[in-house]
Amino acid sequence: MGTLRQYDAWLLAGGALLFYGTTVSPHLLLPDSAILIDAMRQPEISSNVCAHNLTNLLGWLFQHLPGANLALKGNLVSVFCGAAVIGLFHALLRALALPRSVAVLGALVLMVSHSLWWHSTIVENYALSNIFLVACLLLAVRAAEEPWHWYLMSFLAGLALFNHLQNGALAIGLAAFYLAGASRWQGQRWRLLWGGVTCYLLGTVPFFFVLLRDLMRSDDVQNTLHWAVGGGFTGSMFHYDWVRALARLGDWLFQQFPSPFLLLIPLGIVPLLRLRPFAAFLLGALLTNLAFFLGYETWDQFAFYLEAFVCLAVIGSLGAAWCWQQFERTGRAVTGVLLGASVLLPPLVYPQIPRWAAAESGYWSRRYHAAGVAYAGRYDLVGLYADPLRHDRGTVAAFINQLFAKLPPRALLVDDVSIFYQAQFIQQHYGQRPDVRLMLLRPLNFAGWGMPVDEIAAACNAGTNRVFVTATNGPAAGLVTALKFGGWRAEKFPLGDAFWIYELLPPPRRT
């Protein structure tokens, strides 16, 4: 039986590898993608909160694959990690004694869920982080009876910090697991406690070693520590508007599982609570993530909620298994239909969201229409975020190509974090348009990132080259307004194929 379970897990991982590999984006998409691939090519190892070191190291290996498409090689890292999550997730469900059919369908539901599918086809660090989560959950099934599972689980939870500080939630899960399982350990209780703490600290050694190295090299120790624990992102933390936050979580949850699977999640809570101390670890990690990110103000929360969604996928699969085991043949057929529909519906829904969002009213318009309007003329931001099947429909690559083709020699291009890092990446790694000077507007008064409006305005006034800006709304509106008082005006600059930017024209020179 154990060999069969392993075979199934490898088969599911292989199927996910094929699925994600078929839908992987071949393009450089978001600014974060450009930053991360650039870090992979070095590879960059840093204590900075944005340096996802294990992803960088793995990506460095993938960057040595043959081929000139650096973006595709970076995105393939996510394909590999997403496939590993699915294989481990199936192994977890089988370790929880779920029926084979339910375990297979539960893994497929997770495979096509929005956030995991998205993060398995575009380079990011979250798929790798969820390998650690699911591996710890798998070890937690047996750790109460077999101490070496507990020690390995503790080590992996500590090591996960080297990829993302969000994985600190695993430490809360460990504490909850220990407290829930302590009654089973009797005379070994203290030995297992200190053994677990020791293994966790051993796992954190890479993170603290790099932090110590950076502190010893730093000219500003306080700033280095500041960026190690959040940097400018701390300004977006702990802003709790519970009604709005819970409504947004509901929106993301529906987008994650736009299917009957949502109905199975509440049914899984009771069988979950019977699985002490496994349930304590899962709920500890889940509730810690929710408690933090409900107060974290960022637009793309589906990335940060991914670990919570994976935990909910476990609970929903337990609910499906409960229905499967409680009812006769008809009930099993209904459960199978619900799970099957939950696998088939998301790939049908996601490609339609950009079209629905373009409407003047409706649910998806409420969520995404403003973003589509804000990025009109640049690229399909709504498709990029909402559709893991077709992503941006190639609009990011097309926009950059036409941008570099149409900008005049030695142009100054100001951007609001929509295209700056992608264009910089292409300049540095492909040698295209090195004459174009790029400037990044500081986004939303984010300390330590980009240039403030007054500095960019001064550069525009001091320069003799033609000046362009990728938008006149959002952060760029402040620059356009500041220059307007000096006689500057913004004029639409067509790039072709429905793409455009704006040229900032200086006041006429007096003779």
Side-chain angles (χ1 to χ4, degrees):
M1 181 62 71
T3 302
L4 182 60
R5 291 177 181 176
Q6 292 176 9
Y7 174 79
D8 282 356
W10 282 105
L11 190 62
L12 264 293
L17 190 70
L18 180 63
F19 179 77
Y20 292 144
T22 302
T23 56
V24 67
S25 172
H27 302 303
L28 189 66
L29 297 180
L30 289 171
D32 286 354
S33 300
I35 295 170
L36 193 51
I37 297 172
D38 186 65
M40 289 173 173
R41 292 185 60 76
Q42 301 178 44
E44 177 184 321
I45 304 298
S46 168
S47 61
N48 189 294
V49 69
C50 294
H52 309 297
N53 297 301
L54 291 176
T55 300
N56 294 348
L57 290 169
L58 181 60
W60 179 78
L61 296 176
F62 274 77
Q63 287 297 310
H64 285 80
L65 292 172
N69 190 336
L70 306 182
L72 176 59
K73 289 190 283 189
N75 292 336
L76 286 175
V77 175
S78 291
V79 171
F80 172 82
C81 292
V85 169
I86 295 302
L88 287 168
F89 187 81
H90 177 270
L92 166 64
L93 297 186
R94 292 295 280 154
L96 290 169
L98 269 65
R100 188 180 185 191
S101 297
V102 175
V104 170
L105 289 170
L108 292 178
V109 169
L110 180 62
M111 184 183 76
V112 299
S113 63
H114 175 261
S115 189
L116 185 61
W117 188 355
W118 195 95
H119 285 98
S120 300
T121 53
I122 296 175
V123 61
E124 257 293 3
N125 72 88
Y126 298 98
L128 178 54
S129 288
N130 278 273
I131 291 178
F132 285 97
L133 170 65
V134 182
C136 286
L137 286 168
L138 180 57
L139 291 166
V141 177
R142 302 290 183 226
E145 284 76 30
E146 301 178 38
W148 75 268
H149 287 107
W150 161 249
Y151 296 138
L152 180 57
M153 176 181 162
S154 299
F155 175 80
L156 290 178
L159 182 61
L161 278 180
F162 200 44
N163 194 56
H164 199 297
L165 284 184
Q166 178 185 359
N167 295 320
L170 298 180
I172 305 300
L174 288 176
F177 179 91
Y178 177 82
L179 293 174
S183 60
R184 302 186 184 187
W185 291 334
Q186 299 176 357
Q188 304 181 72
R189 186 177 303 173
W190 293 108
R191 180 171 64 85
L192 290 172
L193 172 61
W194 295 117
V197 170
T198 300
C199 289
Y200 183 84
L201 293 176
L202 285 173
T204 65
V205 164
F207 173 78
F208 285 107
F209 176 82
V210 171
L211 176 59
L212 179 62
R213 181 206 65 178
D214 291 349
L215 290 173
M216 293 177 67
R217 294 178 178 178
S218 177
D219 295 327
D220 188 341
V221 170
Q222 184 176 356
N223 186 61
T224 301
L225 282 173
H226 175 62
W227 276 98
V229 297
F233 296 99
T234 55
S236 301
M237 298 175 185
F238 306 111
H239 297 288
Y240 290 98
D241 179 344
W242 291 104
V243 174
R244 179 172 177 268
L246 290 171
R248 293 177 71 191
L249 176 60
D251 285 338
W252 288 122
L253 187 57
F254 175 67
Q255 186 166 328
Q256 180 74 7
F257 302 113
S259 67
F261 190 76
L262 287 173
L263 302 175
L264 298 172
I265 294 175
L267 296 178
I269 295 175
V270 172
L272 172 70
L273 295 177
R274 295 172 183 161
L275 298 172
R276 296 181 61 203
F278 170 84
F281 178 82
L282 184 147
L283 292 174
L286 169 63
L287 295 177
T288 301
N289 271 286
L290 289 178
F292 181 82
F293 288 110
L294 282 170
Y296 188 65
E297 285 294 326
T298 180
W299 192 78
D300 54 339
Q301 285 183 313
F302 71 92
F304 299 106
Y305 281 135
L306 179 54
E307 293 190 12
F309 294 144
V310 171
C311 292
L312 291 174
V314 176
I315 300 174
S317 298
L318 287 169
W322 180 83
C323 293
W324 186 274
Q325 293 163 344
Q326 289 294 315
F327 301 106
E328 299 297 331
R329 184 176 301 177
T330 302
R332 291 186 177 185
V334 171
T335 303
V337 169
L338 292 177
L339 287 174
S342 299
V343 176
L344 296 175
L345 280 173
L348 299 177
V349 169
Y350 297 143
Q352 302 304 319
I353 293 177
R355 180 173 63 84
W356 294 334
E360 293 184 0
S361 62
Y363 173 76
W364 294 107
S365 177
R366 171 180 66 79
R367 291 190 59 189
Y368 284 113
H369 184 74
V373 171
Y375 271 68
R378 287 180 278 183
Y379 49 81
D380 182 12
L381 182 69
V382 177
L384 198 161
Y385 273 114
D387 181 7
L389 180 62
R390 294 187 292 180
H391 306 103
D392 68 315
R393 294 152 178 79
T395 54
V396 173
F399 178 72
I400 296 176
N401 288 337
Q402 295 199 30
L403 183 69
F404 278 166
K406 294 294 181 68
L407 284 176
R410 298 182 299 110
L412 169 60
L413 178 66
V414 181
D415 180 62
D416 60 354
V417 203
S418 67
I419 211 73
F420 173 86
Y421 288 105
Q422 301 95 309
Q424 184 182 67
F425 184 93
I426 290 173
Q427 282 183 327
Q428 294 175 350
H429 295 285
Y430 291 100
Q432 294 184 25
R433 295 304 306 266
D435 61 299
V436 174
R437 183 184 176 192
L438 301 170
M439 282 190 173
L440 176 64
L441 267 168
R442 175 171 294 174
L444 305 175
N445 297 317
F446 196 106
W449 187 14
M451 299 173 62
V453 166
D454 55 349
E455 290 186 20
I456 292 185
C460 293
N461 284 307
T464 57
N465 300 341
R466 292 171 68 180
V467 181
F468 300 84
V469 64
T470 54
T472 56
N473 53 23
L479 174 65
V480 173
T481 301
L483 289 173
K484 184 177 180 180
F485 288 111
W488 290 70
R489 61 187 175 87
E491 183 175 288
K492 194 173 183 179
F493 185 82
L495 300 176
D497 293 337
F499 296 123
W500 67 84
I501 56 174
Y502 296 87
E503 183 170 7
L504 296 175
L505 300 172
R509 295 184 181 276
R510 295 180 179 180
T511 57

Short mmCIF file of all heavy atoms in Angstrom, two decimals, residues 22-69:
data_model
loop_
_atom_site.label_atom_id
_atom_site.label_comp_id
_atom_site.label_asym_id
_atom_site.label_seq_id
_atom_site.Cartn_x
_atom_site.Cartn_y
_atom_site.Cartn_z
N THR A 22 2.74 23.23 -19.54
CA THR A 22 1.97 23.58 -20.73
C THR A 22 1.43 25.00 -20.64
O THR A 22 1.31 25.70 -21.65
CB THR A 22 0.80 22.60 -20.91
OG1 THR A 22 1.31 21.27 -21.01
CG2 THR A 22 0.00 22.91 -22.17
N THR A 23 1.12 25.45 -19.43
CA THR A 23 0.52 26.78 -19.25
C THR A 23 1.51 27.82 -18.73
O THR A 23 1.11 28.93 -18.40
CB THR A 23 -0.68 26.69 -18.28
OG1 THR A 23 -0.26 26.12 -17.04
CG2 THR A 23 -1.78 25.82 -18.88
N VAL A 24 2.80 27.48 -18.64
CA VAL A 24 3.79 28.42 -18.14
C VAL A 24 3.92 29.61 -19.08
O VAL A 24 3.79 29.48 -20.30
CB VAL A 24 5.17 27.73 -17.97
CG1 VAL A 24 5.75 27.32 -19.31
CG2 VAL A 24 6.14 28.63 -17.21
N SER A 25 4.15 30.77 -18.53
CA SER A 25 4.37 31.95 -19.36
C SER A 25 5.80 31.95 -19.90
O SER A 25 6.75 31.74 -19.13
CB SER A 25 4.14 33.23 -18.56
OG SER A 25 4.52 34.36 -19.32
N PRO A 26 5.99 32.20 -21.19
CA PRO A 26 7.35 32.30 -21.74
C PRO A 26 7.93 33.70 -21.62
O PRO A 26 9.05 33.95 -22.05
CB PRO A 26 7.15 31.92 -23.21
CG PRO A 26 5.77 32.42 -23.52
CD PRO A 26 4.96 32.26 -22.24
N HIS A 27 7.15 34.63 -21.03
CA HIS A 27 7.53 36.04 -21.04
C HIS A 27 7.95 36.53 -19.66
O HIS A 27 7.66 35.93 -18.63
CB HIS A 27 6.35 36.89 -21.52
CG HIS A 27 5.86 36.55 -22.88
ND1 HIS A 27 6.66 36.56 -23.98
CD2 HIS A 27 4.61 36.16 -23.30
CE1 HIS A 27 5.96 36.22 -25.04
NE2 HIS A 27 4.72 35.96 -24.66
N LEU A 28 8.61 37.68 -19.68
CA LEU A 28 8.90 38.44 -18.47
C LEU A 28 7.66 39.28 -18.17
O LEU A 28 7.24 40.08 -19.00
CB LEU A 28 10.10 39.35 -18.72
CG LEU A 28 10.72 40.09 -17.55
CD1 LEU A 28 11.34 39.10 -16.57
CD2 LEU A 28 11.78 41.07 -18.05
N LEU A 29 7.07 39.10 -16.99
CA LEU A 29 5.78 39.73 -16.73
C LEU A 29 5.87 40.86 -15.72
O LEU A 29 6.15 41.99 -16.07
CB LEU A 29 4.78 38.65 -16.30
CG LEU A 29 4.50 37.59 -17.37
CD1 LEU A 29 3.50 36.56 -16.87
CD2 LEU A 29 4.00 38.21 -18.67
N LEU A 30 5.66 40.57 -14.45
CA LEU A 30 5.62 41.62 -13.44
C LEU A 30 7.01 42.15 -13.09
O LEU A 30 8.01 41.46 -13.34
CB LEU A 30 4.95 41.08 -12.18
CG LEU A 30 3.44 40.85 -12.27
CD1 LEU A 30 2.96 40.12 -11.03
CD2 LEU A 30 2.71 42.17 -12.42
N PRO A 31 7.09 43.34 -12.49
CA PRO A 31 8.38 43.84 -12.02
C PRO A 31 9.08 42.85 -11.08
O PRO A 31 10.29 42.67 -11.15
CB PRO A 31 8.01 45.13 -11.28
CG PRO A 31 6.74 45.58 -11.94
CD PRO A 31 6.01 44.33 -12.30
N ASP A 32 8.30 42.20 -10.20
CA ASP A 32 8.90 41.23 -9.28
C ASP A 32 9.59 40.10 -10.03
O ASP A 32 10.59 39.55 -9.56
CB ASP A 32 7.82 40.63 -8.37
CG ASP A 32 7.36 41.61 -7.30
OD1 ASP A 32 7.96 42.70 -7.21
OD2 ASP A 32 6.41 41.30 -6.58
N SER A 33 9.06 39.73 -11.19
CA SER A 33 9.68 38.67 -11.99
C SER A 33 11.07 39.08 -12.44
O SER A 33 12.03 38.31 -12.35
CB SER A 33 8.81 38.34 -13.21
OG SER A 33 7.53 37.90 -12.83
N ALA A 34 11.19 40.31 -12.92
CA ALA A 34 12.49 40.80 -13.38
C ALA A 34 13.48 40.87 -12.22
O ALA A 34 14.65 40.49 -12.37
CB ALA A 34 12.33 42.18 -14.03
N ILE A 35 13.03 41.36 -11.08
CA ILE A 35 13.91 41.46 -9.90
C ILE A 35 14.38 40.08 -9.47
O ILE A 35 15.57 39.87 -9.17
CB ILE A 35 13.17 42.17 -8.74
CG1 ILE A 35 12.86 43.62 -9.12
CG2 ILE A 35 13.98 42.11 -7.46
CD1 ILE A 35 11.92 44.31 -8.15
N LEU A 36 13.46 39.11 -9.45
CA LEU A 36 13.79 37.78 -8.96
C LEU A 36 14.72 37.05 -9.92
O LEU A 36 15.68 36.39 -9.49
CB LEU A 36 12.50 36.99 -8.73
CG LEU A 36 12.61 35.68 -7.95
CD1 LEU A 36 13.34 35.89 -6.64
CD2 LEU A 36 11.21 35.12 -7.68
N ILE A 37 14.46 37.13 -11.22
CA ILE A 37 15.34 36.46 -12.18
C ILE A 37 16.73 37.07 -12.15
O ILE A 37 17.74 36.37 -12.25
CB ILE A 37 14.74 36.50 -13.59
CG1 ILE A 37 13.41 35.74 -13.62
CG2 ILE A 37 15.70 35.88 -14.61
CD1 ILE A 37 12.64 35.89 -14.92
N ASP A 38 16.81 38.38 -12.00
CA ASP A 38 18.10 39.03 -11.89
C ASP A 38 18.85 38.52 -10.66
O ASP A 38 20.06 38.28 -10.71
CB ASP A 38 17.91 40.55 -11.80
CG ASP A 38 19.23 41.31 -11.82
OD1 ASP A 38 19.93 41.25 -12.85
OD2 ASP A 38 19.56 41.93 -10.80
N ALA A 39 18.12 38.34 -9.54
CA ALA A 39 18.73 37.80 -8.32
C ALA A 39 19.17 36.36 -8.51
O ALA A 39 20.18 35.92 -7.94
CB ALA A 39 17.75 37.91 -7.16
N MET A 40 18.43 35.59 -9.30
CA MET A 40 18.80 34.20 -9.58
C MET A 40 20.09 34.11 -10.37
O MET A 40 20.89 33.19 -10.18
CB MET A 40 17.68 33.52 -10.38
CG MET A 40 16.41 33.24 -9.61
SD MET A 40 15.11 32.61 -10.71
CE MET A 40 13.84 32.20 -9.51
N ARG A 41 20.32 35.04 -11.25
CA ARG A 41 21.47 34.94 -12.14
C ARG A 41 22.79 35.21 -11.42
O ARG A 41 23.86 34.86 -11.92
CB ARG A 41 21.31 35.89 -13.33
CG ARG A 41 20.18 35.44 -14.25
CD ARG A 41 20.08 36.29 -15.50
NE ARG A 41 21.31 36.25 -16.29
CZ ARG A 41 21.68 35.24 -17.07
NH1 ARG A 41 20.91 34.15 -17.14
NH2 ARG A 41 22.79 35.31 -17.77
N GLN A 42 22.74 35.80 -10.22
CA GLN A 42 23.99 36.12 -9.54
C GLN A 42 24.61 34.94 -8.78
O GLN A 42 25.82 34.73 -8.97
CB GLN A 42 23.75 37.33 -8.62
CG GLN A 42 23.27 38.56 -9.41
CD GLN A 42 22.98 39.74 -8.53
OE1 GLN A 42 23.75 40.04 -7.62
NE2 GLN A 42 21.87 40.43 -8.77
N PRO A 43 23.98 34.15 -7.95
CA PRO A 43 22.68 34.41 -7.31
C PRO A 43 22.86 35.34 -6.12
O PRO A 43 23.91 35.37 -5.49
CB PRO A 43 22.25 33.02 -6.84
CG PRO A 43 23.52 32.33 -6.52
CD PRO A 43 24.54 32.85 -7.50
N GLU A 44 21.81 36.09 -5.81
CA GLU A 44 21.85 37.03 -4.70
C GLU A 44 21.45 36.34 -3.40
O GLU A 44 20.42 35.68 -3.33
CB GLU A 44 20.89 38.19 -4.97
CG GLU A 44 20.81 39.19 -3.84
CD GLU A 44 19.78 40.27 -4.10
OE1 GLU A 44 19.68 40.72 -5.27
OE2 GLU A 44 19.06 40.65 -3.16
N ILE A 45 22.28 36.47 -2.39
CA ILE A 45 21.99 35.94 -1.07
C ILE A 45 22.05 37.12 -0.10
O ILE A 45 23.09 37.75 0.05
CB ILE A 45 23.01 34.85 -0.64
CG1 ILE A 45 23.05 33.72 -1.67
CG2 ILE A 45 22.65 34.30 0.74
CD1 ILE A 45 21.74 32.99 -1.84
N SER A 46 20.95 37.40 0.55
CA SER A 46 20.87 38.61 1.37
C SER A 46 19.86 38.41 2.48
O SER A 46 18.95 37.58 2.39
CB SER A 46 20.47 39.80 0.49
OG SER A 46 20.12 40.92 1.26
N SER A 47 20.00 39.21 3.54
CA SER A 47 19.04 39.20 4.63
C SER A 47 17.86 40.12 4.35
O SER A 47 16.91 40.17 5.13
CB SER A 47 19.71 39.64 5.93
OG SER A 47 20.23 40.96 5.80
N ASN A 48 17.91 40.88 3.24
CA ASN A 48 16.80 41.76 2.89
C ASN A 48 15.52 40.97 2.75
O ASN A 48 15.51 39.87 2.21
CB ASN A 48 17.12 42.48 1.57
CG ASN A 48 16.12 43.58 1.26
OD1 ASN A 48 14.96 43.33 1.02
ND2 ASN A 48 16.61 44.81 1.25
N VAL A 49 14.42 41.51 3.24
CA VAL A 49 13.15 40.80 3.25
C VAL A 49 12.70 40.42 1.84
O VAL A 49 11.94 39.47 1.66
CB VAL A 49 12.08 41.66 3.95
CG1 VAL A 49 11.72 42.88 3.11
CG2 VAL A 49 10.86 40.84 4.29
N CYS A 50 13.19 41.14 0.83
CA CYS A 50 12.82 40.84 -0.56
C CYS A 50 13.74 39.80 -1.20
O CYS A 50 13.51 39.41 -2.34
CB CYS A 50 12.84 42.12 -1.40
SG CYS A 50 11.58 43.30 -0.92
N ALA A 51 14.79 39.38 -0.50
CA ALA A 51 15.73 38.40 -1.05
C ALA A 51 15.27 37.00 -0.66
O ALA A 51 15.45 36.58 0.48
CB ALA A 51 17.14 38.67 -0.53
N HIS A 52 14.68 36.30 -1.59
CA HIS A 52 14.14 34.96 -1.31
C HIS A 52 15.22 33.95 -1.67
O HIS A 52 15.28 33.42 -2.78
CB HIS A 52 12.86 34.76 -2.09
CG HIS A 52 11.88 35.88 -1.89
ND1 HIS A 52 11.33 36.16 -0.65
CD2 HIS A 52 11.39 36.82 -2.73
CE1 HIS A 52 10.52 37.20 -0.75
NE2 HIS A 52 10.56 37.63 -2.00
N ASN A 53 16.09 33.68 -0.69
CA ASN A 53 17.37 33.06 -0.96
C ASN A 53 17.28 31.64 -1.53
O ASN A 53 18.02 31.30 -2.46
CB ASN A 53 18.21 33.06 0.32
CG ASN A 53 18.53 34.47 0.78
OD1 ASN A 53 19.13 35.25 0.06
ND2 ASN A 53 18.09 34.82 1.98
N LEU A 54 16.41 30.81 -0.99
CA LEU A 54 16.30 29.45 -1.50
C LEU A 54 15.75 29.45 -2.93
O LEU A 54 16.19 28.66 -3.77
CB LEU A 54 15.42 28.61 -0.58
CG LEU A 54 16.02 28.31 0.79
CD1 LEU A 54 15.02 27.56 1.66
CD2 LEU A 54 17.30 27.51 0.66
N THR A 55 14.82 30.34 -3.21
CA THR A 55 14.33 30.48 -4.59
C THR A 55 15.44 30.96 -5.51
O THR A 55 15.58 30.48 -6.64
CB THR A 55 13.14 31.45 -4.63
OG1 THR A 55 12.09 30.96 -3.80
CG2 THR A 55 12.62 31.61 -6.04
N ASN A 56 16.25 31.90 -5.02
CA ASN A 56 17.37 32.39 -5.83
C ASN A 56 18.37 31.29 -6.14
O ASN A 56 18.87 31.18 -7.26
CB ASN A 56 18.09 33.53 -5.09
CG ASN A 56 17.22 34.77 -4.95
OD1 ASN A 56 16.17 34.88 -5.58
ND2 ASN A 56 17.64 35.69 -4.11
N LEU A 57 18.68 30.47 -5.14
CA LEU A 57 19.65 29.38 -5.35
C LEU A 57 19.10 28.34 -6.32
O LEU A 57 19.83 27.88 -7.21
CB LEU A 57 20.00 28.74 -4.01
CG LEU A 57 20.84 29.60 -3.06
CD1 LEU A 57 20.90 28.97 -1.67
CD2 LEU A 57 22.25 29.79 -3.62
N LEU A 58 17.84 27.97 -6.16
CA LEU A 58 17.23 27.02 -7.08
C LEU A 58 17.16 27.63 -8.48
O LEU A 58 17.44 26.96 -9.49
CB LEU A 58 15.84 26.63 -6.59
CG LEU A 58 15.07 25.61 -7.44
CD1 LEU A 58 15.84 24.30 -7.54
CD2 LEU A 58 13.67 25.38 -6.88
N GLY A 59 16.79 28.89 -8.56
CA GLY A 59 16.71 29.58 -9.85
C GLY A 59 18.05 29.68 -10.54
O GLY A 59 18.14 29.63 -11.77
N TRP A 60 19.13 29.82 -9.75
CA TRP A 60 20.48 29.87 -10.33
C TRP A 60 20.78 28.58 -11.10
O TRP A 60 21.37 28.61 -12.18
CB TRP A 60 21.49 30.08 -9.21
CG TRP A 60 22.91 30.13 -9.67
CD1 TRP A 60 23.54 31.19 -10.26
CD2 TRP A 60 23.89 29.09 -9.57
NE1 TRP A 60 24.85 30.89 -10.54
CE2 TRP A 60 25.10 29.60 -10.12
CE3 TRP A 60 23.86 27.80 -9.07
CZ2 TRP A 60 26.25 28.84 -10.18
CZ3 TRP A 60 25.01 27.04 -9.13
CH2 TRP A 60 26.19 27.55 -9.68
N LEU A 61 20.33 27.44 -10.58
CA LEU A 61 20.50 26.17 -11.29
C LEU A 61 19.69 26.18 -12.59
O LEU A 61 20.19 25.75 -13.65
CB LEU A 61 20.06 25.01 -10.41
CG LEU A 61 20.86 24.79 -9.12
CD1 LEU A 61 20.24 23.66 -8.30
CD2 LEU A 61 22.33 24.46 -9.44
N PHE A 62 18.46 26.66 -12.52
CA PHE A 62 17.61 26.68 -13.72
C PHE A 62 18.14 27.66 -14.77
O PHE A 62 17.93 27.44 -15.97
CB PHE A 62 16.17 27.03 -13.34
CG PHE A 62 15.34 25.85 -12.92
CD1 PHE A 62 15.50 25.29 -11.66
CD2 PHE A 62 14.41 25.30 -13.77
CE1 PHE A 62 14.75 24.19 -11.27
CE2 PHE A 62 13.65 24.21 -13.39
CZ PHE A 62 13.82 23.65 -12.13
N GLN A 63 18.79 28.72 -14.33
CA GLN A 63 19.34 29.68 -15.30
C GLN A 63 20.48 29.07 -16.12
O GLN A 63 20.88 29.63 -17.14
CB GLN A 63 19.81 30.94 -14.59
CG GLN A 63 18.69 31.83 -14.09
CD GLN A 63 17.83 32.38 -15.22
OE1 GLN A 63 18.33 32.92 -16.20
NE2 GLN A 63 16.52 32.23 -15.09
N HIS A 64 21.00 27.92 -15.69
CA HIS A 64 22.05 27.24 -16.46
C HIS A 64 21.48 26.26 -17.48
O HIS A 64 22.25 25.59 -18.18
CB HIS A 64 23.01 26.51 -15.51
CG HIS A 64 23.95 27.44 -14.79
ND1 HIS A 64 23.57 28.16 -13.68
CD2 HIS A 64 25.24 27.77 -15.04
CE1 HIS A 64 24.60 28.90 -13.27
NE2 HIS A 64 25.62 28.68 -14.07
N LEU A 65 20.15 26.17 -17.56
CA LEU A 65 19.55 25.36 -18.62
C LEU A 65 19.87 25.98 -19.97
O LEU A 65 20.05 27.20 -20.08
CB LEU A 65 18.03 25.29 -18.43
CG LEU A 65 17.52 24.50 -17.22
CD1 LEU A 65 16.01 24.69 -17.09
CD2 LEU A 65 17.87 23.03 -17.33
N PRO A 66 19.95 25.19 -21.04
CA PRO A 66 20.23 25.76 -22.36
C PRO A 66 19.09 26.66 -22.83
O PRO A 66 17.93 26.47 -22.44
CB PRO A 66 20.37 24.52 -23.26
CG PRO A 66 19.64 23.43 -22.54
CD PRO A 66 19.82 23.72 -21.08
N GLY A 67 19.41 27.63 -23.65
CA GLY A 67 18.40 28.54 -24.17
C GLY A 67 18.66 29.97 -23.75
O GLY A 67 19.26 30.23 -22.70
N ALA A 68 18.19 30.91 -24.58
CA ALA A 68 18.43 32.33 -24.33
C ALA A 68 17.28 33.01 -23.62
O ALA A 68 17.40 34.17 -23.24
CB ALA A 68 18.71 33.05 -25.66
N ASN A 69 16.14 32.31 -23.45
CA ASN A 69 14.97 32.93 -22.84
C ASN A 69 15.10 32.86 -21.32
O ASN A 69 14.72 31.89 -20.68
CB ASN A 69 13.70 32.22 -23.31
CG ASN A 69 12.43 32.96 -22.90
OD1 ASN A 69 12.43 33.72 -21.94
ND2 ASN A 69 11.35 32.74 -23.63
#
